[in-house]
Amino acid sequence: MKKHYIFFALICISRVLIFGQTDQALNSAGIVQGLKKLNTVGSVLYIAAHPDDENTRLLGYLANEKKVRTGYLSLTRGDGGQNLIGKEQGEPLGLIRTQELLTARRIDGAEQFFTRANDFGFSKNPEETFTIWNKDSILSDVVFTVRKFKPDIIICRFPTTGEGGHGHHTASAILALEAFDAAADPTRFPEQLQYVDVWQPKRIFWNTFNFGTTNTTAPNQLKIDVGIYNPLLGKSYGEIAAESRSSHKSQGFGSAKQRGSAIEYFKLLKGDSVKADVLEGVNTTWNRFKGQDKIQKMIDECIKKFNPQAPENSIPEMVAIYKHIQGLDESNADLKYWKKQKLKEAETLLLSCSGLWIEATAADYIGIPGQDVSVTAQILNRNSNVVKLTGIAYLQSDTTAALSLKPNDLYTFKRKEKLSGSVAFSNPYWLNEKHEIGIYKVADPLWIGKPENDAAVKIAFSISIMDLNLKIERALLYKFTDPVKGEIYRPFEVLPPATVTIPEKVFVFTNAGPKTIVLTVKANAANTIGTLILKGSEGWNIIIKNPEFKLVNKGDEVIIEAVITANKGADDGKLEASVNINNTVYNKSIKRIEYDHIPYQFILSDAEAGLVNIELKKTGTNIGYIPGAGDDVPACLTQIGYNVTVLTDELLSHENLSKYNAIVSGVRAYNTNDRLQIHYNKLMDYVKNGGNLIVQYNTNNRIGPVLTKIGPYPFTISRDRVTNEKATIKFNNENQTVLNYPNKITQKDFDNWIQERGIYFATEIDKQYETVFTMNDPNEKASDGSLIIGKYGKGNFVYTGLVFFRELPAGIPGAYRLFVNLLSLPENK
């Protein structure tokens, strides 16, 4: 294959950058499917609360069988959930779950949207949810999405009456029902009307369900069989749904493929009544617009003549279709909307028929404002088409050309230019500003609803196919070859010259005196010379041992030590880090998130950490830790002076466990490690001989059923929880050792807890266990299963659903004091 090298110029102006691989041509079956979709102009919006709430089978059916534009509006990004694959919680977990949703949508063919709502954790009723979210703000976002997406039909996953079980679920239905009317009312959120028009969907349904013991379906409800096989896709919608749902790996939602008939049930909430189909009475052809039946006929003819062995033969028809859509009158707002959507679809189909491959890559995945970026732009005409490259538009310079692209010759264009010095750093747009617990701050209202940032760094290729001129944009990406995974794409990132990594979110100080911490400065550019600056709150003294650094190569790192001392009685404070490079101060830290099932992700945030001063007494020094699904508890225990050993299967099999003062199992350890049933007897012998075994929460459901005994005496793990982090705690017996040794536990120790008190409490508790606390959410039955302790021989077994895995990394003093007391339970006489 010949290669043609032409050197051009590039200047890249960007704020933020996203995702992975360039979209390229559809195969012939995909082209036929796409042509049928091009001939369809209806739309359905599905609304629920979280990633993984969506009905992937129904989404796949609507998008591919009905071929209507299909969207899923998830009110949250799932930040408050749990993580089965790693340690990420909160915002990093929300970023993972966002990408899992986008992966799912690429499989089932729907589109993805969000509101600004933050998933603050489990909520038991919509009243609590709306108090934290600010109902009007999130309703505004739902209305904006409805007005922008213009759905003919809205479908809710959950009802307004609470059968969905989660306050967020019920809230999503309430908001959807209110938005159904509000979107058509020009007096509601009128500030949106400078960007969108009012819109009235035809009807809104509840997609009823049969989950576990809750069956909300009924014989008199509208029924649709969505278990249909699509020969163009080579799969049924049950199979597609399983692949889509299995994208939610952080939630353990791997699903088996279902084949055969699958009935979905619908209850009409508002709008015109129907008998047979949710889209009944909705004209989904071009005939819904007066005088546009010609497009329908043109596309039908293109489908009839299409040759899968020679898709390029359809180019004349596709050019004519594109031009016809391009010439549609925009005085009709609805037609104008569909014109924009269908031009994008027609462009993809035209490029796919032509076999064109177009790409823009950078020589490195990091770009620094004001520094050089090397770009390679490539274009390949893979079929025998008459295609011309007439120019390439870079962000500050355009080039012109008159190249007739020879079949199967790869044309390559290279150039090096500087990024603008004023370009903003890359970051997920909803994380650019600090936010309240219930809602993210988004500066630009037009970003609301978007799943992720648009690719701000783009290369535009001007081409002509026959007599049609097109401008094809491609995101600038980085491409490399992994020896195991093969060709990999990752986003192009705009970063500061250096970032500072602080190893902990919170540094915990006890009465042990000064603490030496290590910070890592990493160069994102060559020849980075500067000084580390640390600033602490009043009452905290900081000495940097060697603040100067010189990093020769891009990617080099230097570890810098600092000694921090808290004055006696110092209030909790904050540590802020920055670097001074060429008299410019940069204060960013980067957290990278890398999993094989999603594109590379990162969060750029202010380099800061909390400083917490705790009065803490402890006994013993050696702790064994059995890893679970992932948490930061071992690092927290190390901070307060414990020697923590991670107990692998080999160590559990062969090591003498008596050397450990206590052994702790991580969250969901018994759900994720089936080898623990093998070690049950050894762990019980450890307890019997005087050890303390502390088991943090496990679940007992389909995601992670407990397959073995856990404690010396029976108990059951329930779904009981207390979600109000301020819920009153009753001490069942204030004289219990765990409340007095070595630290005196008082009500004050439950101040400032975050997100919740506890989850997956024990029930059906054997009388050999002592319960320690009783607690409940408002208007609910009290539970005493948050912490149980059983004496067994000389030692003690503990099961706790208290969320230490959240509270310890957050630096909550009372959580540390109580957890140390559990580790320090004395031997039984």
Side-chain angles (χ1 to χ4, degrees), residues 42 83 197 325 330 392 474 479 487 540 620 725 747 769:
N83 186 355
D197 300 316
I325 297 173
E330 296 189 358
I392 300 180
R474 288 289 183 256
K479 181 173 69 175
E487 188 175 83
W540 296 84
E725 68 273 21
Q747 290 292 338
Y769 292 106

Side-chain angles (χ1 to χ4, degrees), residues 35 94 96 116 120 125 136 228 246 258 365 394 486 541 589 658 742 747:
L35 284 168
I96 291 171
R116 292 170 292 166
F120 55 84
N125 57 71
D136 205 49
I228 298 169
S246 295
Q258 298 179 358
Y365 64 89
Y394 305 109
N541 303 309
S589 176
S658 64
Q747 290 292 338

Side-chain angles (χ1 to χ4, degrees), residues 104-413:
R105 297 295 79 81
R106 287 189 284 271
I107 293 169
D108 59 38
E111 300 172 54
Q112 185 61 52
F113 307 99
F114 294 95
T115 74
R116 292 170 292 166
N118 180 31
D119 179 359
F120 55 84
F122 192 90
S123 175
K124 293 186 176 179
N125 57 71
E127 293 77 20
E128 177 194 37
T129 298
F130 288 139
T131 298
I132 295 175
W133 276 354
N134 186 338
K135 179 183 176 182
D136 205 49
S137 296
I138 306 307
L139 175 60
S140 169
D141 292 359
V142 178
V143 168
F144 186 69
T145 302
V146 170
R147 286 171 171 172
K148 193 174 182 180
F149 189 77
K150 294 182 179 292
D152 294 304
I153 305 297
I154 294 176
I155 301 176
C156 302
R157 169 79 284 189
F158 301 105
T160 60
T161 46
E163 291 91 335
H166 193 314
H168 296 178
H169 293 168
T170 307
S172 71
I174 292 171
L175 292 172
L177 203 58
E178 291 189 20
F180 178 81
D181 294 322
D185 185 349
T187 67
R188 300 298 304 274
F189 313 108
E191 69 282 357
Q192 297 177 359
L193 299 182
Q194 60 184 307
Y195 310 115
V196 292
D197 300 316
V198 293
W199 180 256
Q200 179 61 68
K202 193 171 184 66
R203 58 183 72 101
I204 181 170
F205 293 95
W206 166 29
N207 178 200
T208 59
F209 52 78
N210 184 358
F211 296 157
T213 59
T214 305
N215 184 2
T216 62
T217 65
N220 63 346
Q221 292 172 358
L222 176 66
K223 295 180 280 292
I224 301 176
D225 187 351
V226 300
I228 298 169
Y229 174 76
N230 187 319
L232 288 174
L233 303 178
K235 299 172 184 176
S236 70
Y237 296 112
E239 293 170 303
I240 292 170
E243 293 177 7
S244 174
R245 194 156 186 78
S246 295
S247 301
H248 297 295
K249 299 186 188 304
S250 67
Q251 305 306 295
F253 270 32
S255 301
K257 295 182 179 180
Q258 298 179 358
R259 299 171 178 88
S261 177
I263 305 299
E264 292 292 341
Y265 293 79
F266 303 88
K267 181 177 180 180
L268 181 67
L269 301 179
K270 274 188 178 181
D272 300 343
S273 61
V274 294
K275 294 181 179 180
D277 194 274
V278 294
L279 286 162
E280 189 175 303
V282 177
N283 189 343
T284 61
T285 73
W286 282 100
N287 292 326
R288 76 189 279 169
F289 306 111
K290 186 177 180 181
Q292 300 306 327
D293 56 328
K294 181 178 180 181
I295 308 176
Q296 198 85 22
K297 294 176 181 177
M298 293 172 71
I299 299 173
D300 284 340
E301 188 66 18
C302 187
I303 294 172
K304 183 179 178 180
K305 292 182 177 179
F306 183 76
N307 181 354
Q309 298 296 324
E312 65 272 21
N313 292 349
S314 294
I315 288 177
E317 287 87 353
M318 281 306 310
V319 168
I321 290 168
Y322 188 96
K323 286 183 174 181
H324 193 97
I325 297 173
Q326 195 175 42
L328 291 176
D329 181 16
E330 296 189 358
S331 60
N332 180 322
D334 195 16
L335 182 58
K336 179 181 178 181
Y337 165 81
W338 282 108
K339 173 183 176 179
K340 180 180 178 181
Q341 299 303 320
K342 295 303 177 180
L343 279 176
K344 290 188 292 185
E345 293 179 27
E347 179 183 287
T348 298
L349 289 166
L350 181 55
L351 294 178
S352 297
C353 287
S354 69
L356 277 175
W357 182 85
I358 305 171
E359 184 175 84
T361 58
D364 197 342
Y365 64 89
I366 294 175
I368 309 298
Q371 295 193 14
D372 289 338
V373 175
S374 296
V375 174
T376 299
Q378 293 184 314
I379 185 168
L380 172 64
N381 179 16
R382 292 184 285 197
N383 286 332
S384 56
N385 315 304
V386 179
V387 180
K388 292 182 179 180
L389 177 66
T390 59
I392 300 180
Y394 305 109
L395 295 184
Q396 284 192 348
S397 61
D398 296 347
T399 63
T400 58
L403 293 174
S404 294
L405 302 181
K406 297 178 181 179
N408 219 31
D409 274 11
L410 181 64
Y411 291 80
T412 300
F413 312 99

Side-chain angles (χ1 to χ4, degrees), residues 507-579:
F507 290 104
V508 177
F509 291 74
T510 64
N511 27 3
K515 182 187 290 288
T516 299
I517 67 169
V518 294
L519 300 95
T520 303
V521 178
K522 182 171 183 175
N524 297 315
N527 300 313
T528 300
I529 302 172
T531 304
L532 174 67
I533 303 168
L534 294 179
K535 179 182 177 183
S537 301
E538 184 177 352
W540 296 84
N541 303 309
I542 302 172
I543 299 174
I544 308 176
K545 294 185 177 181
N546 186 7
E548 310 295 330
F549 60 86
K550 181 177 181 180
L551 301 171
V552 176
N553 301 307
K554 189 173 190 175
D556 284 353
E557 297 180 353
V558 61
I559 293 176
I560 298 177
E561 292 187 351
V563 178
I564 304 179
T565 306
N567 292 343
K568 187 174 182 179
D571 293 332
D572 294 347
K574 183 168 66 173
L575 173 68
E576 299 174 290
S578 59
V579 291

